[in-house]
């Protein structure tokens, strides 16, 4: 797919099944390196970042087979080698191979990991924590080299609950001698997913889901079968699209227990959301056959949000900020959106303005949006993953036709955004 063509202004109607989570699948795939057996990782999303991670694992000598909706990965013959090329520099989550390689081989050489251009994205917290576990790091010509003769457990306090740093420490700590405590750990559902996979392989981790994780080191891990949870960010994207366009949609398998803040914001914008009808006892909708998921009824026009502020989990996710911003350009009133996690998440503002959106910058990480009735469709270029999805949502809401190029960014995280939205009645084609 090189571009998406959208005929906007159509309320959404229908149902879509939510894919597996990108940010949960990637560290779990990296973690398969720690066992010397086969693991079956099911419900892996079919996206570019997963393909890159699989390529990296294969380049390390892992045998990978497709199995139904996932992969069987046998890492018994994996060997340490230098990792480079687009798969590393183009994907931020290749960074979790840092902890996995150190845990398995005691050494790692990799090009500086890339990812979306949404901020400077330093890795100081990763390096400081891994150093405290005995790793020596050096950087040369853009390459990061780490070596440790014996990883040892450590008491680590993270100054910020970094998702990636928590993942890397976990991956090293399960292989270390002695126990590790991570205070100030990230609590994102993707951390829970990684812990659950590691525990299925035999690891012992206490405090899962809390900000203090205790990891018993030196337990030998075996292979396991693991099902990747549904993607809360993809579900949130389609939920917000329905808030922006109106209509009613069913998001099958959406992990509503991980989406409280997003559902709260959607409701504050005037949507009605019913969750997991079996559990809440809400009316069953046999025509949809749904048991788990979210049924959303979008408002005619979204209401403004006095202040939408991103935060670490369980706060409003930074990955949905630009999509919420796109929706608020149509809201009835003035909203303020503040980004607190990444400094460069407002790259969509220029394109939204080109569609007629009234957005004013209030300092580097805050904008004020005055909602207007009709955005106008136009030609836009995606420059990063979630910003690209925000442009798609803006195109759906706008009058007339929009064309979005740069879709390779969007494909890093969405299996098939065009088809999903067509299933929801949108007039969108990939060309
Ligand atoms: C992960 C997610 C990303 C999500 C983010 C926050 C993956 C592949 N990506 O990214 O989609 O938006 O969590 O939920 O799972 N920081 C430092 N030093 C460090 C590490 C991080 O200063 O060593 C800063 C970052 O620059 C950023 C903030 O901490 O400002 C959050 O980063 P982090 O939680 O590490 O996000 P990622 O793991 O990169």
């Amino acid at each position: 797919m090189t571009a998406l063509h959208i005929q906007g202004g159509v309320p959404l109607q229908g149902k879509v099944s939510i894919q597996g989570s990108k940010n949960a699948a990637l560290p779990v795939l990296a973690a398969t390196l720690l066992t010397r057996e086969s693991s079956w990782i099911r419900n892996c999303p079919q996206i570019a970042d997963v393909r890159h991670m699989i390529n990296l694992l294969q380049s390390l000598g892992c045998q990978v087979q497709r199995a139904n909706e996932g992969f069987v990965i046998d890492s018994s013959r994996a060997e340490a080698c230098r990792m480079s090329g687009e798969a590393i520099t183009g994907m931020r989550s290749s960074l979790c191979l840092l902890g996995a390689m150190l845990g398995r081989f005691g050494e790692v050489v990799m090009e500086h990991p890339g990812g979306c251009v949404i901020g400077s994205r330093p890795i100081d917290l990763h390096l400081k924590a891994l150093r405290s576990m005995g790793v020596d790091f050096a950087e040369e010509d853009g390459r990061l080299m780490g070596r440790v003769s014996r990883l040892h457990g450590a008491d680590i306090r993270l100054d910020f609950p970094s998702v990636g740093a928590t993942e890397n420490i976990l991956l090293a700590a399960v292989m270390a001698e002695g126990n590790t405590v991570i205070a100030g750990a990230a609590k994102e559902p993707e951390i829970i997913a990684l812990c659950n996979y590691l525990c299925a392989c035999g690891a012992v981790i206490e405090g899962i889901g809390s900000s203090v994780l205790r990891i018993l080191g030196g337990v030998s891990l075996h292979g396991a079968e693991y099902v990747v949870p549904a993607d809360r960010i993809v579900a949130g994207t389609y939920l917000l699209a329905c808030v922006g366009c109106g209509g009613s949609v069913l998001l099958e398998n959406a992990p509503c227990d991980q989406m409280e803040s997003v559902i709260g914001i959607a409701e504050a914008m005037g949507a009605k959301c019913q969750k997991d009808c079996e559990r809440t006892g809400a009316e069953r909708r046999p025509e949809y056959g749904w048991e788990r998921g979210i049924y959303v009824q979008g408002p005619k026009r979204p209401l403004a949000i006095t202040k939408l502020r991103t935060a670490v989990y369980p706060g409003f996710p930074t990955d949905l900020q630009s999509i919420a911003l796109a929706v608020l350009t149509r809201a009835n009133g003035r909203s303020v959106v503040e980004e607190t996690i990444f400094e460069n998440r407002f790259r969509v503002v220029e394109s939204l303005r080109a569609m007629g959106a009234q957005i004013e910058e209030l300092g580097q990480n805050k904008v004020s949006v005055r909602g207007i009735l009709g955005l106008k469709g136009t030609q836009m270029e995606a420059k990063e993953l979630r910003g690209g999805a925000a442009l798609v949502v803006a195109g759906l809401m706008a009058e007339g036709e929009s064309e979005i190029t740069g879709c390779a960014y969007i494909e890093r995280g969405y299996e098939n955004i065009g088809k999903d939205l067509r299933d929801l009645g949108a007039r969108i084609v990939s060309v």
Side-chain angles (χ1 to χ4, degrees):
M1 168 173 68
T2 51
L4 284 165
H5 281 212
I6 303 172
Q7 189 66 46
V10 183
L12 300 182
Q13 202 78 48
K15 66 172 175 170
V16 67
S17 184
I18 302 300
Q19 68 184 62
S21 159
K22 164 175 103 64
N23 288 354
L26 294 168
V28 166
L29 290 171
T32 61
L33 253 194
L34 301 181
T35 77
R36 284 164 193 267
E37 293 183 4
S38 292
S39 283
W40 182 15
I41 311 302
R42 299 173 53 194
N43 199 33
C44 272
Q46 293 181 36
I47 51 174
D49 274 15
V50 163
R51 283 191 290 278
H52 282 144
M53 179 60 84
I54 293 292
N55 288 344
L56 284 169
L57 290 172
Q58 284 174 322
S59 73
L60 293 169
C62 296
Q63 309 286 310
V64 181
Q65 280 184 321
R66 279 200 155 278
N68 295 330
E69 51 345 350
F71 300 96
V72 173
I73 299 161
D74 173 0
S75 60
S76 57
R77 277 178 281 168
E79 277 175 22
C81 71
R82 176 183 156 186
M83 288 180 297
S84 60
E86 218 270 321
I88 285 279
T89 51
M91 182 178 71
R92 171 75 177 179
S93 34
S94 57
L95 186 59
C96 50
L97 281 168
L98 189 64
M101 297 273 289
L102 289 166
R104 172 76 187 259
F105 309 115
E107 65 175 279
V108 63
V109 180
M110 59 170 31
E111 308 278 320
H112 202 287
C116 279
V117 208
I118 54 172
S120 60
R121 306 191 88 161
I123 58 169
D124 54 316
L125 299 173
H126 304 240
L127 301 184
K128 186 176 166 203
L130 292 167
R131 277 193 179 111
S132 74
M133 301 177 79
V135 183
D136 283 322
F137 282 109
E139 273 189 82
E140 210 175 82
D141 303 331
R143 276 179 304 158
L144 178 68
M145 291 172 287
R147 188 178 284 275
V148 58
S149 51
R150 222 173 240 180
L151 275 172
H152 56 76
D155 279 343
I156 295 165
R157 163 157 286 284
L158 286 176
D159 297 332
F160 180 86
S162 154
V163 173
T166 305
E167 288 165 353
N168 265 327
I169 302 166
L170 276 163
L171 292 165
V174 288
M175 304 303 275
E177 254 176 38
N179 302 339
T180 297
V181 176
I182 315 174
K187 296 190 284 190
E188 267 67 3
E190 294 73 31
I191 301 289
I192 300 178
L194 176 60
C195 289
N196 287 344
Y197 168 69
L198 290 169
C199 290
C201 296
V204 181
I205 303 170
E206 288 171 17
I208 297 174
S210 80
S211 58
V212 182
L213 296 170
R214 286 189 188 76
I215 304 115
L216 198 71
V219 177
S220 89
L221 301 182
H222 50 76
E225 180 183 335
Y226 181 74
V227 182
V228 174
D231 196 309
R232 65 190 172 107
I233 304 301
V234 171
T237 303
Y238 301 153
L239 193 163
L240 290 169
C242 181
V243 178
C245 298
S248 59
V249 303
L250 172 69
L251 307 172
E252 278 182 327
N253 310 319
C256 15
D257 42 346
Q258 302 173 5
M259 295 175 64
E260 291 293 327
S261 63
V262 182
I263 291 171
I265 286 292
E267 287 178 338
M269 291 191 206
K272 290 199 181 104
C273 301
Q274 279 179 282
K275 304 174 269 178
D276 285 359
C277 72
E278 292 277 288
R279 215 194 297 163
T280 58
E283 183 199 358
R284 256 193 119 233
R285 298 187 60 98
E287 72 273 29
Y288 282 132
W290 62 292
E291 294 184 356
R292 184 174 160 71
I294 307 177
Y295 177 66
V296 190
Q297 283 173 285
K300 279 217 162 57
R301 186 179 179 192
L303 301 170
I305 299 287
T306 320
K307 188 155 193 185
L308 174 61
R309 196 168 184 268
T310 60
V312 296
Y313 188 81
F316 191 86
T318 173
D319 295 70
L320 288 174
Q321 182 262 102
S322 32
I323 297 155
L325 175 66
V327 174
L328 289 170
T329 60
R330 245 204 94 218
N332 192 0
R334 187 181 286 274
S335 309
V336 170
V337 178
E338 187 182 0
E339 173 59 54
T340 71
I341 309 291
F342 289 109
E343 69 267 32
N344 214 356
R345 280 260 201 217
F346 285 124
R347 299 184 81 207
V348 290
V349 166
E350 207 181 297
S351 302
L352 293 175
R353 280 187 184 137
M355 300 175 89
Q358 301 287 309
I359 304 175
E360 190 190 330
E361 274 152 50
L362 308 173
Q364 209 199 341
N365 288 317
K366 210 192 274 186
V367 295
S368 160
V369 194
R370 191 171 63 77
I372 57 164
L373 260 179
L375 289 179
K376 299 264 178 289
T378 185
Q379 252 193 339
M380 296 173 272
E381 188 189 347
K383 299 198 173 106
E384 38 100 4
L385 166 58
R386 305 301 171 189
L391 298 182
V392 173
V393 171
L396 295 175
M397 297 186 324
E399 288 162 10
E401 198 175 310
S402 292
E403 184 192 55
I404 294 158
T405 55
C407 293
Y409 285 109
I410 303 174
E411 289 171 343
R412 287 193 36 219
Y414 296 80
E415 274 184 356
N416 195 336
I417 198 168
K419 178 183 179 304
D420 284 353
L421 290 166
R422 266 195 307 281
D423 286 349
L424 297 179
R427 294 196 199 137
I428 176 168
V429 287
S430 319
V431 290

